[in-house]
Amino acid sequence: MTEIPAARPAVDYLLLTPGPLTTTATVRAAMLQDSCTWDSDYNLGVVEPVRRELVRLATARHGADYSCVLLQGSGTYVVECVLGCAIGKQERLLIINNGAYGARMVEMARLLGLNHLEIDCGETQRPNLAEIEQQLIAHPDITHLAMVHCETTTGMLNPLDEVAALCRLRGIRLIVDAMSSFGGIPMDIGELGVEFLISSANKCIQGVPGFGFVVARRRALEACAGRARSLSLDLHGQWHAMETQGGKWRFTSPTHVVLAFAQALRELELEGGISARHRRYSENQQRLVEGMERLGFRPLLARHWHSPIITAFHSPTHPGYRFADFYQALKGQGFVIYPGKVSQADCFRIGNIGDVSPAQIDALLAAVAKACEQIMA
Ligand SMILES: *Cc1c(COP(=O)(O)O)cnc(C)c1O
């Protein structure tokens, strides 16, 4: 046979990435069990409590109006599933695009043949409320608005509260890609009036990759019946199976990943819930930025635009700098960072989400200093 090398590297890297990210040993250990997708120990015992907990985390007082659908695949599959099912043939979607994930929704809308309109803000600009309102007035046929909450491309936190208020005022149904923020930034989708919130297992809840989820208004899910543009990405179909068959997934469920996710939810609660996690991420991000600035690095975005999720830094202008060398120099010291994703500026990114402590941020900063000495001597 082909020799397949053991996947285990010599060291356990700390992943400072937007996911898959550093998980706890106990989350990984939860996967050491096989489950039957058909059995109630799994469906009623694990899937249903996970769905209920996600609704509880998404809204404190409006839980009865919302329900949760889990779906196989990475986060992108879930965004595509929601867009493909939520927008009817007579409806029109406005997409706010200020980064790669906003652009990805535009691409989906195009491929799905949705009646849509885009506001292209550029990758380093915050969506402008007046411009959004202007578009809604100019195009009264717009029924839905889709926006990314934390644009992971840059780490920018988009103005969800303000956009949600505008949508409530004008009766626009709001779809939020909260992939990289849900679980790490407090929000109450019931208060905000969000119709569909989308996130995935391997971001701020700190599970492993393999599925994503939607927390949506029940009546919005009901309205998706018969609207799917694909067999497997059928939001209502998946919801209906889970609701009527006690947590059963339509097709093979990523059982081990769901067990890890259930453990990750317990650990989120033990940490003190979303507000405590938000505090840890924020403190780590501040520590990171201050330390990197002391080493001469400059963040791409102004501080007040920043999320605590991920930070983009300008690449050094030193002629000896190459991202690949910098990456390897850090990896050799046990830290994995992320390439940049904006087209107008040469950047790299460092993620704050995952099981990462302030002491590990300090260790990273020491490793960055050493890497700089090595490659830019
Ligand atoms: C991670 C992420 C996604 C989904 O990416 P996948 O690679 O499909 O998991 C979508 N939107 C945002 C903002 C993200 O951070």
Side-chain angles (χ1 to χ4, degrees):
M1 68 170 268
T2 313
E3 191 189 327
I4 302 170
R8 201 166 178 81
V11 287
D12 280 326
Y13 310 125
L14 192 73
L15 298 183
L16 296 160
T17 57
L21 38 64
T22 304
T23 54
T24 62
T26 39
V27 161
R28 295 192 299 273
M31 289 187 284
L32 299 176
Q33 191 186 55
D34 299 323
S35 308
C36 173
T37 61
W38 206 82
D39 191 90
S40 62
D41 285 349
Y42 173 70
N43 287 322
L44 292 177
V46 184
V47 177
E48 287 298 86
V50 161
R51 293 177 62 220
R52 283 195 296 273
E53 177 63 2
L54 288 172
V55 172
R56 191 189 71 87
L57 290 173
T59 179
R61 292 195 302 118
H62 301 269
D65 298 339
Y66 285 85
S67 185
C68 176
V69 189
L70 313 179
L71 186 75
Q72 299 92 331
S74 81
T76 302
Y77 292 64
V78 188
V79 177
E80 190 158 2
C81 175
V82 170
L83 294 189
C85 296
I87 320 298
K89 290 204 165 59
Q90 311 303 321
E91 297 175 328
R92 192 169 196 194
L93 172 67
L94 176 64
I95 303 170
I96 313 297
N97 172 8
N98 67 332
Y101 295 100
R104 193 175 289 177
M105 292 201 284
V106 174
E107 179 80 1
M108 284 173 193
R110 196 180 60 75
L111 285 168
L112 289 166
L114 304 182
N115 185 5
H116 71 284
L117 204 70
E118 170 192 7
I119 297 182
D120 184 350
C121 314
E123 288 171 318
T124 52
Q125 289 303 310
R126 250 183 144 216
N128 178 310
L129 260 293
E131 189 182 355
I132 297 173
E133 183 159 33
Q134 235 170 40
Q135 289 296 328
L136 293 177
I137 292 167
H139 304 278
D141 57 339
I142 292 171
T143 50
H144 293 73
L145 186 150
M147 186 177 77
V148 174
H149 184 207
C150 168
E151 190 31 277
T152 320
T153 314
T154 53
M156 189 180 300
L157 195 60
N158 282 336
L160 177 58
D161 290 8
E162 292 88 333
V163 170
L166 183 60
C167 288
R168 286 197 304 276
L169 190 72
R170 306 199 67 89
I172 303 294
R173 281 165 275 169
L174 178 57
I175 300 169
V176 181
D177 170 351
M179 205 71 66
S180 63
S181 59
F182 183 70
I185 299 178
M187 68 184 93
D188 188 316
I189 63 169
E191 299 295 327
L192 293 171
V194 171
E195 290 266 305
F196 296 92
L197 169 136
I198 304 157
S199 189
S200 76
N202 61 283
K203 304 245 172 161
C204 297
I205 309 281
Q206 298 182 182
V208 303
F211 73 95
F213 55 88
V214 183
V215 182
R217 281 219 170 102
R218 286 177 175 275
R219 58 172 168 69
L221 288 168
E222 280 154 13
C224 291
R227 277 187 176 179
R229 289 166 165 89
S230 120
L231 175 83
S232 49
L233 300 182
D234 180 346
L235 187 61
H236 183 270
Q238 183 87 342
W239 181 56
H240 188 72
M242 289 186 169
E243 284 286 284
T244 59
Q245 299 175 60
K248 191 170 177 305
W249 301 49
R250 276 165 81 224
F251 307 122
T252 301
S253 156
T255 49
H256 301 81
V257 176
V258 176
L259 294 181
F261 190 74
Q263 176 61 23
L265 285 171
R266 281 183 216 110
E267 293 181 13
L268 174 59
E269 184 64 18
L270 285 175
E271 184 171 346
I274 292 174
S275 57
R277 182 156 293 178
H278 179 244
R279 218 172 307 125
R280 173 166 63 86
Y281 288 171
S282 300
E283 284 165 12
N284 282 348
Q285 198 259 349
Q286 210 172 331
R287 202 177 188 92
L288 173 75
V289 170
E290 283 166 9
M292 290 295 281
E293 282 176 341
R294 275 198 302 277
L295 294 171
F297 289 90
R298 243 174 354 101
L300 174 71
L301 298 181
R303 192 164 290 202
H304 57 278
W305 279 1
H306 242 292
S307 71
I309 303 299
I310 191 167
T311 310
F313 293 96
H314 287 285
S315 300
T317 50
H318 189 284
Y321 175 86
R322 276 177 51 232
F323 176 74
D325 298 338
F326 187 54
Y327 179 86
Q328 287 301 334
L330 287 174
K331 187 175 158 189
Q333 300 179 73
F335 299 95
V336 168
I337 63 163
Y338 225 54
K341 206 169 180 156
V342 289
S343 33
Q344 307 116 296
D346 188 7
C347 288
F348 62 88
R349 288 177 294 167
I350 300 182
N352 290 293
I353 58 180
D355 181 39
V356 177
S357 68
Q360 286 169 317
I361 296 289
D362 291 344
L364 166 75
L365 290 166
V368 169
K370 203 163 149 198
C372 289
E373 276 172 34
Q374 272 172 26
I375 63 170
M376 296 184 281

